[in-house]
Coordinates of all heavy atoms in Angstrom, one line a residue:
M294 N 0.8 -1.2 0.0 CA 0.0 0.0 0.0 C 0.9 1.2 0.0 O 1.8 1.3 0.8 CB -0.9 0.0 1.3 CG -2.0 1.0 1.2 SD -2.9 1.1 2.7 CE -3.7 -0.5 2.8
S295 N 0.5 2.2 -0.9 CA 1.4 3.4 -1.0 C 1.2 4.2 0.3 O 0.2 4.0 1.0 CB 1.0 4.3 -2.2 OG -0.3 4.9 -1.9
E296 N 2.1 5.1 0.6 CA 2.0 5.9 1.8 C 0.7 6.8 1.8 O 0.1 7.0 2.8 CB 3.2 6.8 1.9 CG 4.4 6.1 2.6 CD 5.3 7.0 3.4 OE1 4.8 8.2 3.7 OE2 6.4 6.6 3.7
Q297 N 0.4 7.2 0.5 CA -0.8 8.1 0.4 C -2.1 7.3 0.9 O -2.9 7.8 1.7 CB -1.0 8.5 -1.0 CG -2.2 9.5 -1.2 CD -2.5 9.7 -2.7 OE1 -1.8 9.3 -3.5 NE2 -3.7 10.2 -2.9
Y298 N -2.2 6.0 0.4 CA -3.4 5.3 0.8 C -3.4 4.9 2.2 O -4.4 4.8 2.9 CB -3.6 4.1 -0.1 CG -4.1 4.5 -1.5 CD1 -3.4 4.3 -2.7 CD2 -5.3 5.2 -1.6 CE1 -3.8 4.8 -3.9 CE2 -5.8 5.7 -2.8 CZ -5.0 5.4 -4.0 OH -5.5 5.9 -5.2
D299 N -2.1 4.6 2.7 CA -1.9 4.3 4.1 C -2.5 5.4 5.0 O -3.2 5.2 5.9 CB -0.5 4.0 4.3 CG -0.2 3.4 5.7 OD1 -1.1 2.8 6.3 OD2 0.9 3.7 6.3
G300 N -2.1 6.6 4.6 CA -2.5 7.8 5.3 C -4.0 8.0 5.3 O -4.6 8.3 6.3
Q301 N -4.6 7.8 4.1 CA -6.0 8.0 4.0 C -6.8 6.9 4.8 O -7.8 7.3 5.5 CB -6.4 7.7 2.5 CG -7.8 8.2 2.1 CD -7.9 8.0 0.6 OE1 -7.1 8.4 -0.2 NE2 -9.1 7.5 0.2
L302 N -6.3 5.7 4.8 CA -6.9 4.6 5.6 C -6.9 5.0 7.1 O -7.9 4.9 7.8 CB -6.2 3.3 5.3 CG -6.9 2.1 5.9 CD1 -8.3 1.9 5.5 CD2 -6.1 0.8 5.6
K303 N -5.7 5.5 7.5 CA -5.5 5.8 8.9 C -6.5 6.9 9.3 O -7.2 6.9 10.4 CB -4.1 6.3 9.2 CG -3.1 5.2 9.5 CD -1.8 5.7 9.9 CE -0.7 4.6 9.8 NZ 0.6 5.2 9.6
E304 N -6.7 7.9 8.4 CA -7.6 9.0 8.6 C -9.0 8.5 8.7 O -9.8 8.9 9.6 CB -7.5 10.0 7.5 CG -8.4 11.2 7.6 CD -8.3 12.1 8.8 OE1 -7.2 12.0 9.5 OE2 -9.2 12.8 9.1
E305 N -9.4 7.5 7.8 CA -10.8 7.0 7.8 C -11.0 6.2 9.1 O -12.1 6.3 9.7 CB -11.0 6.0 6.6 CG -11.3 6.9 5.4 CD -11.2 6.1 4.1 OE1 -11.1 4.8 4.2 OE2 -11.1 6.7 3.0
I306 N -10.0 5.4 9.6 CA -10.2 4.7 10.8 C -10.3 5.7 12.0 O -11.2 5.5 12.9 CB -9.0 3.7 11.1 CG1 -9.1 2.6 10.0 CG2 -9.0 3.2 12.5 CD1 -7.8 1.8 9.9
R307 N -9.5 6.8 12.0 CA -9.6 7.8 13.0 C -11.0 8.4 13.1 O -11.6 8.5 14.1 CB -8.5 8.9 12.8 CG -8.2 9.8 14.0 CD -7.4 10.9 13.6 NE -8.0 11.8 12.7 CZ -9.0 12.7 13.0 NH1 -9.4 12.8 14.3 NH2 -9.6 13.4 12.1
E308 N -11.5 8.7 11.9 CA -12.8 9.3 11.8 C -13.9 8.4 12.4 O -14.8 8.8 13.1 CB -13.2 9.6 10.4 CG -12.6 10.9 9.8 CD -13.2 12.1 10.4 OE1 -14.4 12.1 10.7 OE2 -12.5 13.1 10.5
E309 N -13.7 7.1 12.1 CA -14.7 6.1 12.6 C -14.7 6.0 14.1 O -15.8 5.7 14.7 CB -14.4 4.7 12.0 CG -15.1 4.5 10.7 CD -14.7 3.2 10.0 OE1 -14.5 2.2 10.8 OE2 -14.5 3.2 8.8
I310 N -13.6 6.1 14.8 CA -13.5 5.9 16.2 C -13.6 7.2 17.0 O -13.5 7.2 18.2 CB -12.3 5.1 16.7 CG1 -11.0 5.8 16.3 CG2 -12.3 3.7 16.1 CD1 -9.8 5.2 16.9
K311 N -13.7 8.3 16.3 CA -13.7 9.6 17.0 C -14.9 9.8 17.9 O -16.0 9.4 17.5 CB -13.7 10.7 15.9 CG -13.1 12.1 16.3 CD -13.0 13.0 15.2 CE -14.3 13.4 14.6 NZ -14.3 14.3 13.5
E312 N -14.7 10.3 19.1 CA -15.9 10.6 19.9 C -16.8 11.7 19.3 O -16.2 12.6 18.6 CB -15.4 11.2 21.3 CG -14.5 10.2 22.1 CD -15.3 9.0 22.5 OE1 -16.5 9.1 22.8 OE2 -14.7 7.9 22.5
P313 N -18.1 11.7 19.5 CA -18.9 12.7 18.9 C -18.6 14.1 19.5 O -18.2 14.2 20.6 CB -20.3 12.3 19.3 CG -20.2 11.4 20.5 CD -18.8 10.8 20.4
D314 N -18.8 15.1 18.7 CA -18.7 16.5 19.2 C -19.8 16.7 20.3 O -20.9 16.2 20.1 CB -19.0 17.5 18.1 CG -17.8 17.5 17.1 OD1 -16.7 17.2 17.4 OD2 -18.1 17.8 15.9
M315 N -19.4 17.4 21.3 CA -20.4 17.6 22.4 C -20.8 19.1 22.5 O -20.0 20.0 22.1 CB -19.8 17.2 23.7 CG -19.4 15.7 23.8 SD -20.8 14.6 23.5 CE -21.6 14.7 25.1
Y316 N -22.0 19.4 23.0 CA -22.5 20.7 23.0 C -23.0 21.0 24.4 O -23.7 20.2 25.1 CB -23.7 20.8 22.0 CG -23.2 20.8 20.6 CD1 -22.9 19.5 20.0 CD2 -23.1 21.9 19.9 CE1 -22.4 19.5 18.7 CE2 -22.6 21.9 18.6 CZ -22.3 20.6 18.0 OH -21.8 20.6 16.7
R317 N -22.7 22.2 24.9 CA -23.3 22.7 26.2 C -24.7 23.2 25.9 O -24.8 24.1 25.0 CB -22.5 23.8 26.8 CG -21.1 23.5 27.2 CD -20.4 24.7 27.8 NE -19.0 24.5 27.9 CZ -18.1 24.9 27.0 NH1 -18.4 25.7 26.0 NH2 -16.8 24.6 27.2
V318 N -25.6 22.8 26.7 CA -27.0 23.4 26.6 C -27.0 24.5 27.8 O -26.7 24.2 28.9 CB -28.1 22.4 26.8 CG1 -29.4 23.1 26.9 CG2 -28.1 21.5 25.5
I319 N -27.3 25.7 27.4 CA -27.2 26.9 28.3 C -28.6 27.5 28.4 O -29.2 27.8 27.4 CB -26.2 27.9 27.8 CG1 -24.8 27.2 27.7 CG2 -26.2 29.2 28.6 CD1 -23.8 28.0 27.0
L320 N -29.0 27.6 29.7 CA -30.3 28.2 30.0 C -30.1 29.7 30.2 O -29.1 30.1 30.9 CB -30.8 27.6 31.2 CG -32.3 27.7 31.6 CD1 -33.2 27.2 30.5 CD2 -32.6 27.0 32.9
L321 N -31.0 30.6 29.7 CA -30.8 32.0 29.8 C -31.9 32.5 30.8 O -33.0 32.1 30.8 CB -31.0 32.7 28.4 CG -30.1 32.2 27.3 CD1 -30.4 32.9 26.0 CD2 -28.7 32.3 27.7
N322 N -31.5 33.5 31.6 CA -32.4 34.1 32.5 C -33.4 35.1 31.8 O -33.0 35.6 30.7 CB -31.7 34.9 33.6 CG -32.6 35.4 34.7 OD1 -33.5 34.8 35.1 ND2 -32.3 36.6 35.2
D323 N -34.5 35.3 32.3 CA -35.4 36.4 31.9 C -36.2 36.9 33.1 O -36.1 36.3 34.2 CB -36.3 35.9 30.8 CG -37.3 34.9 31.2 OD1 -38.3 35.3 31.9 OD2 -37.1 33.7 30.9
D324 N -37.0 37.9 33.0 CA -37.7 38.5 34.1 C -39.1 38.0 34.3 O -39.8 38.3 35.2 CB -37.8 40.0 34.0 CG -36.4 40.7 34.1 OD1 -35.5 40.1 34.7 OD2 -36.3 41.8 33.6
Y325 N -39.6 37.1 33.4 CA -41.0 36.7 33.4 C -41.3 35.3 33.7 O -42.3 34.9 34.2 CB -41.6 37.1 32.0 CG -41.4 38.6 31.7 CD1 -40.4 39.0 30.8 CD2 -42.2 39.5 32.4 CE1 -40.2 40.3 30.6 CE2 -42.0 40.9 32.1 CZ -41.0 41.3 31.2 OH -40.8 42.6 31.0
T326 N -40.4 34.4 33.3 CA -40.6 32.9 33.5 C -40.5 32.7 35.0 O -39.7 33.2 35.7 CB -39.5 32.1 32.8 OG1 -39.5 32.5 31.4 CG2 -39.8 30.6 32.9
T327 N -41.5 31.9 35.6 CA -41.5 31.7 37.0 C -40.4 30.7 37.4 O -40.0 29.9 36.6 CB -42.8 31.1 37.5 OG1 -43.0 29.8 36.9 CG2 -44.0 32.0 37.1
T328 N -39.9 30.9 38.6 CA -38.9 30.0 39.1 C -39.4 28.5 39.1 O -38.6 27.6 38.8 CB -38.4 30.4 40.5 OG1 -39.6 30.5 41.4 CG2 -37.7 31.8 40.5
D329 N -40.6 28.4 39.5 CA -41.2 27.0 39.6 C -41.2 26.3 38.2 O -40.9 25.1 38.1 CB -42.7 27.0 40.1 CG -42.8 27.2 41.6 OD1 -41.7 27.2 42.2 OD2 -43.9 27.3 42.1
F330 N -41.5 27.1 37.1 CA -41.6 26.6 35.8 C -40.1 26.1 35.4 O -40.0 25.1 34.7 CB -42.1 27.5 34.8 CG -42.2 27.0 33.4 CD1 -43.1 26.0 33.1 CD2 -41.3 27.4 32.4 CE1 -43.2 25.4 31.8 CE2 -41.3 26.8 31.1 CZ -42.3 25.9 30.8
V331 N -39.1 27.0 35.7 CA -37.8 26.6 35.3 C -37.3 25.3 36.0 O -36.8 24.4 35.4 CB -36.8 27.8 35.6 CG1 -35.3 27.4 35.3 CG2 -37.2 29.0 34.9
V332 N -37.7 25.2 37.3 CA -37.3 23.9 38.0 C -38.1 22.8 37.4 O -37.5 21.7 37.2 CB -37.7 24.1 39.5 CG1 -37.5 22.7 40.2 CG2 -36.8 25.2 40.2
E333 N -39.3 23.0 37.0 CA -40.1 21.9 36.4 C -39.5 21.4 35.1 O -39.4 20.2 34.8 CB -41.5 22.5 36.1 CG -42.6 21.6 35.8 CD -43.9 22.4 35.5 OE1 -44.3 23.2 36.3 OE2 -44.5 22.2 34.4
V334 N -39.0 22.4 34.3 CA -38.3 22.1 33.0 C -37.0 21.3 33.3 O -36.7 20.3 32.6 CB -38.0 23.4 32.3 CG1 -36.9 23.2 31.3 CG2 -39.3 23.9 31.6
L335 N -36.3 21.7 34.3 CA -35.0 21.1 34.6 C -35.2 19.6 35.0 O -34.4 18.7 34.7 CB -34.2 21.9 35.6 CG -33.7 23.2 35.0 CD1 -33.1 24.1 36.2 CD2 -32.5 23.0 34.0
V336 N -36.3 19.4 35.8 CA -36.6 18.1 36.3 C -37.2 17.2 35.1 O -36.7 16.1 34.9 CB -37.6 18.1 37.5 CG1 -38.1 16.7 37.8 CG2 -36.9 18.8 38.7
S337 N -38.1 17.7 34.4 CA -38.8 16.9 33.4 C -38.1 16.7 32.1 O -38.1 15.6 31.5 CB -40.2 17.5 33.1 OG -40.1 18.7 32.5
I338 N -37.3 17.7 31.7 CA -36.6 17.6 30.4 C -35.2 17.2 30.5 O -34.7 16.4 29.8 CB -36.8 18.9 29.5 CG1 -38.3 19.1 29.3 CG2 -36.0 18.8 28.3 CD1 -38.6 20.5 28.6
F339 N -34.6 17.7 31.6 CA -33.1 17.4 31.8 C -32.9 16.3 32.9 O -31.7 16.0 33.2 CB -32.4 18.7 32.1 CG -32.4 19.6 30.9 CD1 -33.3 20.6 30.8 CD2 -31.5 19.5 29.9 CE1 -33.4 21.5 29.7 CE2 -31.5 20.4 28.8 CZ -32.5 21.4 28.7
H340 N -33.9 15.8 33.4 CA -33.8 14.7 34.4 C -32.9 15.1 35.6 O -32.2 14.2 36.1 CB -33.4 13.4 33.8 CG -34.3 13.1 32.6 ND1 -35.6 12.8 32.8 CD2 -34.1 13.0 31.3 CE1 -36.2 12.5 31.6 NE2 -35.2 12.7 30.7
K341 N -33.0 16.4 36.0 CA -32.2 16.8 37.2 C -33.0 16.5 38.5 O -34.2 16.7 38.5 CB -32.0 18.3 37.2 CG -31.2 18.8 36.0 CD -29.8 18.3 35.9 CE -29.1 18.8 34.7 NZ -27.8 18.2 34.5
P342 N -32.3 16.0 39.5 CA -33.0 15.9 40.8 C -33.5 17.2 41.2 O -32.9 18.2 41.0 CB -32.0 15.3 41.7 CG -30.9 14.8 40.9 CD -30.9 15.6 39.6
P343 N -34.7 17.3 41.9 CA -35.3 18.6 42.3 C -34.3 19.6 43.0 O -34.4 20.8 42.7 CB -36.5 18.3 43.1 CG -36.9 16.9 42.7 CD -35.6 16.2 42.3
I344 N -33.5 19.1 43.9 CA -32.6 20.0 44.6 C -31.6 20.6 43.7 O -31.3 21.8 43.7 CB -32.0 19.3 45.9 CG1 -33.1 19.0 46.9 CG2 -30.9 20.2 46.5 CD1 -32.7 18.1 48.1
E345 N -31.0 19.8 42.8 CA -30.0 20.3 41.8 C -30.7 21.2 40.9 O -30.1 22.3 40.5 CB -29.4 19.1 41.1 CG -28.2 19.5 40.3 CD -27.7 18.4 39.4 OE1 -27.9 17.2 39.6 OE2 -27.0 18.8 38.4
A346 N -31.9 20.9 40.5 CA -32.7 21.8 39.5 C -32.9 23.2 40.2 O -32.7 24.2 39.5 CB -34.0 21.1 39.2
A347 N -33.2 23.2 41.4 CA -33.4 24.5 42.1 C -32.1 25.3 42.2 O -32.1 26.5 42.0 CB -34.0 24.3 43.5
K348 N -31.0 24.6 42.4 CA -29.7 25.2 42.4 C -29.3 25.8 41.1 O -28.8 27.0 41.0 CB -28.6 24.2 42.8 CG -28.5 24.0 44.3 CD -27.3 23.1 44.7 CE -27.3 22.6 46.1 NZ -26.7 21.3 46.3
I349 N -29.5 25.0 40.0 CA -29.2 25.5 38.7 C -30.1 26.7 38.3 O -29.6 27.8 37.8 CB -29.4 24.4 37.6 CG1 -28.4 23.3 37.8 CG2 -29.3 25.0 36.2 CD1 -28.7 22.0 37.0
M350 N -31.3 26.7 38.7 CA -32.3 27.8 38.4 C -31.8 29.0 39.1 O -31.7 30.1 38.5 CB -33.7 27.4 38.9 CG -34.8 28.4 38.6 SD -34.8 29.8 39.8 CE -35.1 28.9 41.3
M351 N -31.4 28.9 40.4 CA -31.0 30.1 41.2 C -29.7 30.7 40.6 O -29.5 31.9 40.5 CB -30.8 29.7 42.6 CG -32.0 29.8 43.5 SD -33.0 31.3 43.2 CE -31.9 32.5 43.9
D352 N -28.8 29.8 40.1 CA -27.5 30.2 39.5 C -27.8 31.0 38.3 O -27.2 32.1 38.0 CB -26.7 29.0 39.2 CG -25.2 29.3 39.1 OD1 -24.7 29.9 40.1 OD2 -24.6 28.9 38.1
V353 N -28.7 30.5 37.4 CA -29.1 31.2 36.2 C -29.7 32.5 36.5 O -29.5 33.6 35.9 CB -30.0 30.3 35.3 CG1 -30.5 31.1 34.1 CG2 -29.3 29.1 34.9
H354 N -30.6 32.5 37.5 CA -31.3 33.7 37.9 C -30.3 34.8 38.4 O -30.5 36.0 38.0 CB -32.3 33.4 39.1 CG -33.0 34.5 39.7 ND1 -34.0 35.3 39.1 CD2 -32.8 35.1 40.9 CE1 -34.3 36.2 39.9 NE2 -33.7 36.2 41.0
K355 N -29.3 34.4 39.1 CA -28.3 35.4 39.6 C -27.3 35.8 38.6 O -26.9 37.0 38.5 CB -27.5 34.8 40.8 CG -28.4 34.7 42.1 CD -27.5 34.2 43.2 CE -28.3 33.8 44.4 NZ -27.6 32.7 45.2
K356 N -26.8 34.9 37.7 CA -25.7 35.2 36.8 C -26.1 35.5 35.4 O -25.3 35.9 34.6 CB -24.7 34.0 36.8 CG -24.1 33.8 38.2 CD -23.1 32.6 38.2 CE -22.5 32.3 39.5 NZ -22.0 30.9 39.7
G357 N -27.4 35.2 35.0 CA -27.9 35.5 33.7 C -27.9 34.3 32.8 O -28.7 34.3 31.8
K358 N -27.0 33.4 33.0 CA -27.1 32.1 32.2 C -26.3 31.0 32.9 O -25.6 31.3 33.9 CB -26.5 32.3 30.8 CG -25.1 32.8 30.8 CD -24.7 33.0 29.3 CE -23.3 33.6 29.2 NZ -22.8 33.7 27.9
G359 N -26.5 29.8 32.5 CA -25.8 28.7 33.1 C -25.9 27.4 32.3 O -26.9 27.2 31.6
V360 N -24.9 26.6 32.5 CA -24.9 25.3 31.8 C -25.8 24.3 32.5 O -25.7 24.1 33.7 CB -23.4 24.8 31.7 CG1 -23.4 23.4 31.0 CG2 -22.5 25.7 31.0
V361 N -26.6 23.7 31.6 CA -27.6 22.7 32.2 C -27.0 21.3 32.0 O -27.2 20.4 32.8 CB -28.9 22.8 31.4 CG1 -29.9 21.7 31.9 CG2 -29.5 24.1 31.6
G362 N -26.3 21.1 30.9 CA -25.7 19.8 30.6 C -24.9 19.7 29.3 O -24.9 20.7 28.5
L363 N -24.3 18.6 29.1 CA -23.5 18.4 27.9 C -24.1 17.2 27.1 O -24.3 16.1 27.7 CB -22.1 17.9 28.2 CG -21.0 18.9 28.7 CD1 -19.7 18.2 28.9 CD2 -20.9 20.0 27.7
Y364 N -24.4 17.5 25.8 CA -25.1 16.5 25.0 C -24.5 16.4 23.6 O -23.9 17.4 23.1 CB -26.6 16.8 24.9 CG -27.2 16.9 26.3 CD1 -27.4 18.2 26.9 CD2 -27.7 15.8 27.0 CE1 -28.0 18.3 28.1 CE2 -28.3 15.9 28.2 CZ -28.4 17.2 28.8 OH -29.0 17.3 30.0
T365 N -24.8 15.3 22.9 CA -24.5 15.3 21.4 C -25.4 16.3 20.7 O -26.4 16.7 21.3 CB -24.7 13.9 20.9 OG1 -26.0 13.5 21.2 CG2 -23.7 12.9 21.5
H366 N -25.1 16.6 19.5 CA -25.8 17.7 18.8 C -27.3 17.4 18.8 O -28.1 18.3 19.1 CB -25.3 17.9 17.4 CG -26.0 18.9 16.6 ND1 -27.2 18.8 16.0 CD2 -25.7 20.3 16.5 CE1 -27.6 19.9 15.5 NE2 -26.7 20.8 15.8
D367 N -27.7 16.2 18.4 CA -29.2 16.0 18.2 C -29.9 15.9 19.5 O -31.1 16.4 19.6 CB -29.4 14.7 17.4 CG -29.0 14.9 15.9 OD1 -28.4 15.9 15.6 OD2 -29.2 13.9 15.1
I368 N -29.3 15.4 20.5 CA -29.9 15.4 21.8 C -30.1 16.8 22.4 O -31.2 17.2 22.9 CB -29.1 14.5 22.9 CG1 -28.9 13.1 22.3 CG2 -29.8 14.5 24.2 CD1 -29.9 12.1 22.6
A369 N -29.0 17.6 22.2 CA -29.1 19.0 22.7 C -30.2 19.7 21.9 O -31.0 20.4 22.5 CB -27.8 19.7 22.4
A370 N -30.3 19.6 20.6 CA -31.3 20.3 19.8 C -32.7 19.8 20.2 O -33.6 20.6 20.2 CB -31.0 20.0 18.3
T371 N -32.9 18.5 20.5 CA -34.2 18.0 20.9 C -34.6 18.6 22.2 O -35.7 19.1 22.4 CB -34.2 16.5 21.0 OG1 -33.9 16.0 19.7 CG2 -35.5 15.9 21.4
K372 N -33.7 18.7 23.2 CA -34.0 19.2 24.5 C -34.4 20.7 24.4 O -35.3 21.2 25.0 CB -32.9 19.0 25.5 CG -32.8 17.5 25.9 CD -31.9 17.2 27.0 CE -31.8 15.7 27.3 NZ -33.0 15.1 27.8
I373 N -33.6 21.4 23.6 CA -33.9 22.9 23.4 C -35.3 23.0 22.8 O -36.0 23.9 23.3 CB -32.8 23.5 22.5 CG1 -31.5 23.6 23.3 CG2 -33.2 24.9 22.1 CD1 -30.3 24.0 22.5
A374 N -35.6 22.2 21.8 CA -36.9 22.3 21.2 C -38.0 22.0 22.2 O -39.1 22.7 22.2 CB -37.0 21.4 20.0
Q375 N -37.8 21.0 23.1 CA -38.8 20.7 24.1 C -38.9 21.8 25.1 O -40.1 22.1 25.5 CB -38.3 19.4 24.9 CG -38.5 18.1 24.0 CD -37.8 16.9 24.7 OE1 -36.9 17.0 25.5 NE2 -38.3 15.7 24.3
V376 N -37.8 22.5 25.5 CA -37.9 23.6 26.4 C -38.7 24.7 25.8 O -39.7 25.3 26.4 CB -36.5 24.2 26.8 CG1 -36.6 25.5 27.6 CG2 -35.8 23.1 27.6
H377 N -38.4 25.1 24.5 CA -39.1 26.2 23.8 C -40.6 25.9 23.6 O -41.4 26.7 23.8 CB -38.4 26.5 22.5 CG -37.0 27.1 22.8 ND1 -36.1 27.2 21.8 CD2 -36.5 27.6 23.9 CE1 -35.0 27.8 22.3 NE2 -35.2 28.0 23.6
S378 N -40.9 24.6 23.3 CA -42.3 24.2 23.1 C -43.1 24.3 24.5 O -44.2 24.9 24.5 CB -42.3 22.8 22.6 OG -43.6 22.3 22.7
A379 N -42.5 23.8 25.6 CA -43.2 23.9 26.9 C -43.3 25.3 27.3 O -44.4 25.7 27.8 CB -42.3 23.1 27.9
A380 N -42.3 26.2 27.1 CA -42.4 27.6 27.4 C -43.5 28.3 26.6 O -44.3 29.1 27.1 CB -41.0 28.3 27.3
R381 N -43.5 28.0 25.3 CA -44.5 28.6 24.4 C -45.9 28.3 24.9 O -46.8 29.1 25.0 CB -44.3 28.1 23.0 CG -44.8 29.1 21.9 CD -44.5 28.6 20.5 NE -43.1 28.2 20.3 CZ -42.6 27.0 20.0 NH1 -43.5 26.0 19.9 NH2 -41.4 26.7 19.9
D382 N -46.1 27.0 25.2 CA -47.5 26.6 25.7 C -47.9 27.4 26.9 O -49.1 27.6 27.1 CB -47.4 25.1 26.2 CG -47.3 24.1 25.0 OD1 -47.5 24.6 23.8 OD2 -47.1 22.9 25.2
R383 N -47.0 27.7 27.8 CA -47.3 28.5 29.0 C -47.1 30.0 28.8 O -47.2 30.8 29.8 CB -46.5 28.0 30.2 CG -46.7 26.5 30.4 CD -47.8 26.2 31.3 NE -47.6 26.7 32.6 CZ -47.0 26.0 33.6 NH1 -46.7 24.7 33.4 NH2 -46.8 26.5 34.8
E384 N -46.8 30.4 27.6 CA -46.5 31.8 27.3 C -45.4 32.4 28.1 O -45.5 33.6 28.5 CB -47.8 32.6 27.4 CG -48.9 32.1 26.4 CD -50.1 32.9 26.2 OE1 -50.5 33.5 27.2 OE2 -50.6 33.1 25.1
Y385 N -44.3 31.6 28.4 CA -43.1 32.2 29.0 C -42.1 32.4 27.9 O -42.0 31.6 27.0 CB -42.6 31.2 30.0 CG -43.4 31.0 31.3 CD1 -43.8 29.8 31.8 CD2 -43.9 32.2 32.0 CE1 -44.5 29.6 32.9 CE2 -44.7 32.0 33.1 CZ -45.0 30.7 33.6 OH -45.7 30.6 34.7
P386 N -41.2 33.4 28.2 CA -40.2 33.7 27.2 C -38.9 32.9 27.4 O -37.8 33.2 26.8 CB -39.9 35.2 27.4 CG -40.2 35.4 28.8 CD -41.3 34.4 29.2
L387 N -38.9 31.9 28.2 CA -37.7 31.1 28.5 C -37.0 30.6 27.3 O -37.6 30.1 26.4 CB -38.1 29.9 29.4 CG -37.0 29.0 29.9 CD1 -36.1 29.8 30.8 CD2 -37.5 27.7 30.6
K388 N -35.7 30.8 27.3 CA -34.8 30.5 26.1 C -33.6 29.7 26.6 O -33.0 29.9 27.6 CB -34.3 31.7 25.4 CG -35.4 32.5 24.6 CD -35.7 31.8 23.3 CE -36.9 32.4 22.6 NZ -38.2 31.9 23.0
C389 N -33.2 28.7 25.8 CA -31.9 28.1 25.9 C -31.3 27.9 24.6 O -31.9 27.9 23.5 CB -32.0 26.8 26.8 SG -32.9 25.5 26.1
I390 N -30.0 27.8 24.7 CA -29.1 27.8 23.5 C -28.1 26.6 23.6 O -27.9 26.1 24.7 CB -28.4 29.1 23.3 CG1 -27.5 29.4 24.5 CG2 -29.3 30.2 22.9 CD1 -26.6 30.7 24.3
M391 N -27.4 26.3 22.5 CA -26.3 25.4 22.7 C -25.0 26.0 22.1 O -25.1 26.8 21.2 CB -26.6 24.0 22.0 CG -26.8 24.0 20.6 SD -26.8 22.3 20.0 CE -28.0 22.4 18.7
E392 N -23.9 25.6 22.7 CA -22.6 26.0 22.1 C -21.7 24.8 22.1 O -21.7 23.9 23.0 CB -22.0 27.1 22.9 CG -21.6 26.8 24.3 CD -20.9 28.0 25.0 OE1 -21.3 29.2 24.7 OE2 -20.1 27.7 25.9
K393 N -20.9 24.7 21.0 CA -20.0 23.5 20.9 C -18.9 23.6 21.9 O -18.4 24.7 22.2 CB -19.3 23.6 19.5 CG -18.8 22.3 19.0 CD -18.5 22.4 17.5 CE -17.9 21.1 17.0 NZ -17.4 21.2 15.7
V394 N -18.6 22.5 22.5 CA -17.6 22.4 23.6 C -16.2 22.6 23.0 O -15.9 22.1 21.9 CB -17.6 21.1 24.3 CG1 -16.5 20.9 25.3 CG2 -19.0 20.9 25.1
Ligands
TYC699 N1 -35.6 35.4 36.7 C1 -36.8 34.7 36.8 C2 -37.7 35.2 37.9 O1 -37.2 36.0 38.7 C3 -36.5 33.2 37.1 C4 -35.7 32.5 36.1 C5 -34.6 31.7 36.4 C6 -36.1 32.7 34.7 C7 -33.9 31.1 35.4 C8 -35.4 32.0 33.7 O2 -33.6 30.5 33.1 C9 -34.3 31.2 34.1 N2 -39.0 34.9 38.0

């Protein structure tokens, strides 16, 4: 095998075993969404235990934003869509975003 093909094969193998890119899902503060609703979202969508959910909510409330978790792209996108859908149903402006790690 030529060096060129050897290199290409190594690159293909490396691509196959590469860990997936990960994304931080970040919750944003606002003045209108209730604290109870944010905790409810963190428990129901992100599967946080209630005490941890309350801590994350308070941290976001005080600092303006906060990391909720690390997920692959499609899981992060699905969770964000679920948050926005639940917030829209209750007419809250709650937003979350993702950023590549
Ligand atoms: N700041 C909101 C309030 O005082 C609570 C809140 C916390 C809203 C976190 C959004 O991501 C958020 N009711």
